[in-house]
Amino acid sequence: MTVIENTKPESTRKFPLRKRIFGNGHRPGFLTYGLLFAFFLASAYPLWWSVVIGSRSNEALGQTWPPLLPGGNFWTNVGEVFDTIPFWLALGNSVLISGIITVSVVAFSTLAGYSFAKLRFRGRNGLMVAVIATMAIPTQLGIIPLFMMMRTLGWTGEIGAVVIPTLVTAFGVFFMRQYLVDVIPDELIESARMDGASMISTFWHVALPAARPAMAILGLFTFMTAWTDFLWPLLVLDAGNPTLQTALSQLQAARYVDYSIVLTGAVLATLPLLVLFALAGRQLISGIMQGAVKG
Amino acid sequence: MTTTLNRPAAPRTAAPKQKPTFRQRLNVLDVKASPYLYIAPFFLLFALVGLFPLGYTFFVSLFDWHLLKGQGEFVGMANFAEVLRDRFFWNSLFNTMSIFLLSTIPQLVVATAIAAVLDQHLRAKTFWRMSILLPYIVTPVAVAMIFANMFGEQYGLINNILASLGIDRIMWMNETLPSHIAIATMVNWRWTGYNALILLAAMQAVPRDIYESAAIDGAGPFRRFFSITLPSIRPTMIFVVITATIGGLQIFTEPKLYDPRSAGGTARQFQTTVLYLWEMAFQRQNFGQAATIAWLLFLIIILFGIVNWLITRRIATAGDIRKIRTRVTSRRVR
């Protein structure tokens, strides 16, 4: 059943249609950049604020209109931070913990992801469904038995206790599988097999080089997640052997909080990630836009 | 000097089945076993440190269990009854939900707006994208410290500005709703840019010719946004909501460090469920009830996940590009 309508008369607008069409050489105007600048300020100001206060003293907080520029107190405050918490030890611990977790997650995810993506075996689909189902499970809620396990093993206070719960993630396996399915042509694997390569050497020489970009992205996000974790290290480590995050929180736990010191600590703890961001910001963005998710 | 040896002639009738050589058998084993070997480390480790602790949580919740004294008597469901009667448990659930809503709804709206603004031919595209992602690299601990300072009741930046504008100081720490807003602000600040990029990726997947045909049909920018962009990114939005749910119901760091000397405020006004779990386990040292809280929260999160998933299946198809495409093209054909 068709109804023939009168077609609309040609649009008689002031501007030619072309100009008004979205994404057809249309340049965004002043308003767009104004909005973007507002978002930029909202993102950057709290960080800038912590730099400003961290380089002054608590008196700066009493002023009605806060100072806009950093003062000259920064190095004094840094010295205070170093006196209050074992900063370098904490930094080393954080690097070590995040590094171990990253290597483990990336290695096991690539292996399992490759197997799910490219190899045929009985029960493959069922097991993949199991992986996807476990992605939504909040494993963080198993902390009480995990804590008991660590205590029984006598690992509380050790770095090993921090890395154990996140040595593998279901998301990592899923992410690597999604990537490898399209990236490795089956012919490539077959030809390597015809040349007499064993399964593991096929993985090593064919799959690994192809998986490298995804491994980098997964590694980046795993590192970030491990670096920012707070609850678990807080439970299994003590004040004498902290990660950067738990050490930072000790700055705040004093009876009289000196905020200039606290915010100096926050700045110091953010610096390593700022460096990482400067080096790998593009990868981080493309990773998010390809569907990397919170772990 | 050659000698010819008379070899016995090979049997004419070849054996119907040749015995595979050792090498071939090894190869078959390699092909059969390798896939399982590659997935084994993940499954073994995950079972050990992921699934087993969750299951064992339920076991612990059936006992009187003390942090130091260890396993006590079997009490069955008594812990559950106790927790469900516990005022503080319901209070923590209320706080968690309230903070979750305050940190999801505005975040989604703002993230969508940012994504729409970014989805244009911009100069310095990467710079803008990096600038909105900046908060994501600040760890929650540092975020909590910075905002705890800004929301300070006496000397905080925000109250100072309010006071100078002649508005009464707001009790950001001691009152329930303001404290929830403060904590939600921390979450929003850190995650909005991140989610905006996810939504931006979805927007960029919308074919440009649809926008063009809509524009030719006389749809303005707002009409195009609500009729084309929003339906197209709906599946991604749901995905963002689900991840936000799983994370948001387990919020701990921000409320813990907003007031580090208490477990969620002097009157528990911003004590979230994981924070209450922490207090129950490591301050009151009641592992049995802490495990019960963990298990109940686990059930709630799974329930949310299932509901989300059902809704997704209902409306994910509604935002189908092809439908819009056919609608647009058929109109143009007419």
Side-chain angles (χ1 to χ4, degrees):
Chain A
M1 198 188 94
T2 51
V3 181
I4 299 169
E5 290 176 33
N6 289 333
T7 45
K8 269 197 207 153
E10 273 301 303
S11 151
T12 50
R13 287 182 191 274
K14 244 195 318 188
F15 298 105
L17 259 182
R18 272 258 164 110
K19 280 248 170 81
R20 301 181 52 251
I21 288 171
F22 188 89
N24 192 11
H26 175 66
R27 281 271 166 208
F30 178 74
L31 179 71
T32 298
Y33 287 107
L35 275 173
L36 283 172
F37 191 68
F39 293 140
F40 167 71
L41 278 185
S43 300
Y45 185 73
L47 265 181
W48 181 244
W49 166 258
S50 57
V51 172
V52 169
I53 300 299
S55 60
R56 292 173 178 265
S57 67
N58 256 354
E59 285 150 27
L61 289 169
Q63 301 169 15
T64 311
W65 287 102
L68 280 174
L69 294 173
N73 232 354
F74 186 69
W75 294 110
T76 330
N77 287 343
V78 170
E80 286 276 336
V81 171
F82 287 177
D83 287 346
T84 318
I85 56 172
F87 183 84
W88 297 108
L89 173 70
L91 184 71
N93 280 346
S94 276
V95 170
L96 195 65
I97 288 166
S98 307
I100 293 171
I101 289 174
T102 303
V103 169
S104 163
V105 166
V106 171
F108 291 141
S109 297
T110 311
L111 259 180
Y114 165 73
S115 181
F116 278 123
K118 288 289 153 189
L119 304 179
R120 293 206 182 83
F121 55 94
R122 189 171 301 168
R124 180 174 82 161
N125 294 346
L127 288 169
M128 193 64 219
V129 169
V131 171
I132 292 170
T134 51
M135 277 205 310
I137 292 180
T139 47
Q140 196 194 356
L141 295 180
I143 49 173
I144 288 169
L146 274 172
F147 179 81
M148 284 164 19
M149 275 158 82
M150 295 308 133
R151 209 173 43 178
T152 311
L153 292 167
W155 287 3
T156 42
E158 304 285 334
I159 300 298
V162 183
V163 302
I164 288 275
T166 38
L167 283 176
V168 289
T169 58
F171 169 73
V173 175
F174 175 76
F175 179 74
M176 289 311 290
R177 183 204 166 267
Q178 295 304 83
Y179 182 83
L180 292 176
V181 157
D182 301 327
V183 156
I184 306 176
D186 286 335
E187 296 79 30
L188 211 59
I189 294 178
E190 276 160 28
S191 69
R193 295 284 299 148
M194 296 293 276
D195 292 344
S198 67
M199 295 294 269
I200 194 72
S201 84
T202 308
F203 169 77
W204 193 259
H205 294 290
V206 176
L208 264 192
R212 214 163 271 153
M215 286 165 83
I217 286 174
L218 180 64
L220 204 60
F221 278 89
T222 309
F223 192 92
M224 290 274 308
T225 312
W227 185 273
T228 56
D229 194 19
F230 177 65
L231 172 58
W232 180 241
L234 181 76
L235 296 186
V236 289
L237 293 181
D238 44 55
N241 189 26
T243 65
L244 201 49
Q245 308 308 319
T246 56
L248 263 191
S249 69
Q250 289 165 28
L251 277 182
Q252 223 189 347
R255 188 167 298 264
Y256 298 106
V257 183
D258 186 341
Y259 265 113
S260 59
I261 309 292
V262 168
L263 292 182
T264 304
V267 171
L268 287 178
T270 307
L271 281 179
L273 287 184
L274 265 176
V275 172
L276 185 76
F277 191 53
L279 295 174
R282 281 165 188 270
Q283 283 80 354
L284 210 59
I285 288 169
S286 67
I288 293 169
M289 293 182 66
Q290 280 169 38
V293 207
K294 313 178 196 184
Chain B
M1 196 185 127
T2 52
T3 46
T4 343
L5 292 171
N6 279 335
R7 277 206 219 134
R12 276 290 152 85
T13 49
K17 260 200 180 169
Q18 282 219 322
K19 268 190 122 179
T21 60
F22 177 67
R23 248 203 129 130
Q24 283 170 314
R25 264 186 297 175
L26 209 60
N27 188 23
V28 169
L29 187 71
D30 189 16
V31 171
K32 278 239 190 315
S34 287
Y36 295 108
L37 282 178
Y38 299 166
I39 60 172
F42 165 76
F43 277 102
L44 288 176
L45 276 171
F46 192 81
L48 195 68
V49 300
L51 291 181
F52 169 72
L54 267 178
Y56 201 76
T57 301
F58 183 69
F59 179 77
V60 174
S61 72
L62 300 175
F63 289 83
D64 258 337
W65 204 301
H66 190 270
L67 170 69
L68 301 173
K69 285 184 258 176
Q71 189 173 354
E73 281 179 35
F74 176 84
V75 293
M77 284 287 145
N79 278 329
F80 283 85
E82 190 103 14
V83 168
L84 290 174
R85 273 201 310 268
D86 184 350
R87 211 153 50 79
F88 297 145
F89 172 70
W90 292 106
N91 171 59
S92 79
L93 269 186
F94 166 77
N95 291 341
T96 305
M97 289 305 300
S98 160
I99 291 170
F100 165 68
L101 291 175
L102 287 169
S103 63
T104 304
I105 297 166
Q107 194 187 125
L108 211 59
V109 173
V110 175
T112 310
I114 296 178
V117 170
L118 283 172
D119 188 22
Q120 301 179 55
H121 288 288
L122 294 173
R123 295 188 185 87
K125 194 174 59 178
T126 308
F127 167 77
W128 295 118
R129 286 182 188 179
M130 280 180 86
S131 74
I132 61 157
L133 194 63
L134 188 64
Y136 173 70
I137 62 148
V138 186
T139 67
V141 173
V143 173
M145 289 175 169
I146 294 168
F147 280 85
N149 171 260
M150 285 181 148
F151 280 104
E153 286 178 351
Q154 276 184 299
Y155 302 115
L157 170 73
I158 294 169
N159 269 355
N160 279 350
I161 291 173
L162 289 178
S164 67
L165 297 171
I167 303 169
D168 276 350
R169 291 174 177 274
I170 295 174
M171 294 289 117
W172 293 112
M173 184 82 79
N174 285 313
E175 284 177 18
T176 305
L177 186 61
S179 68
H180 290 189
I181 291 173
I183 290 166
T185 306
M186 300 175 197
V187 179
N188 288 334
W189 184 70
R190 184 160 183 252
W191 286 106
T192 303
Y194 182 97
N195 286 328
L197 287 180
I198 293 179
L199 294 170
L200 173 64
M203 284 181 191
Q204 291 187 330
V206 181
R208 299 289 135 168
D209 53 20
I210 297 182
Y211 286 120
E212 293 185 17
S213 12
I216 288 167
D217 280 350
F222 283 96
R223 178 69 204 274
R224 290 201 296 267
F225 176 78
F226 284 106
S227 305
I228 300 171
T229 313
L230 271 189
S232 315
I233 63 169
R234 199 177 290 161
T236 310
M237 273 203 161
I238 291 162
F239 165 81
V240 169
V241 170
I242 292 177
T243 49
T245 310
I246 295 169
L249 294 180
Q250 298 180 72
I251 185 170
F252 171 82
T253 307
E254 291 86 349
K256 174 75 188 79
L257 293 178
Y258 189 40
D259 179 11
R261 284 177 295 282
S262 71
T266 41
R268 299 171 197 269
Q269 65 272 33
F270 50 93
Q271 182 176 62
T272 58
T273 307
V274 176
L275 194 45
Y276 186 45
L277 169 109
W278 174 83
E279 185 199 358
M280 187 61 91
F282 298 96
Q283 293 198 322
R284 297 207 220 161
Q285 311 194 336
N286 186 336
F287 265 25
Q289 281 199 33
T292 309
I293 295 167
W295 190 248
L296 286 170
L297 185 59
F298 170 72
L299 289 182
I300 291 168
I301 291 174
I302 296 297
L303 197 71
F304 262 80
I306 291 170
V307 169
N308 267 329
W309 182 71
L310 289 175
I311 296 173
T312 313
R313 288 187 58 199
R314 268 283 168 76
I315 55 180
T317 47
D320 202 333
I321 288 286
R322 266 161 313 172
K323 278 192 188 166
I324 302 171
R325 189 186 281 265
T326 49
R327 221 181 300 148
V328 170
T329 45
S330 66
R331 233 193 326 172
R332 288 187 56 194
V333 167
R334 266 191 266 132

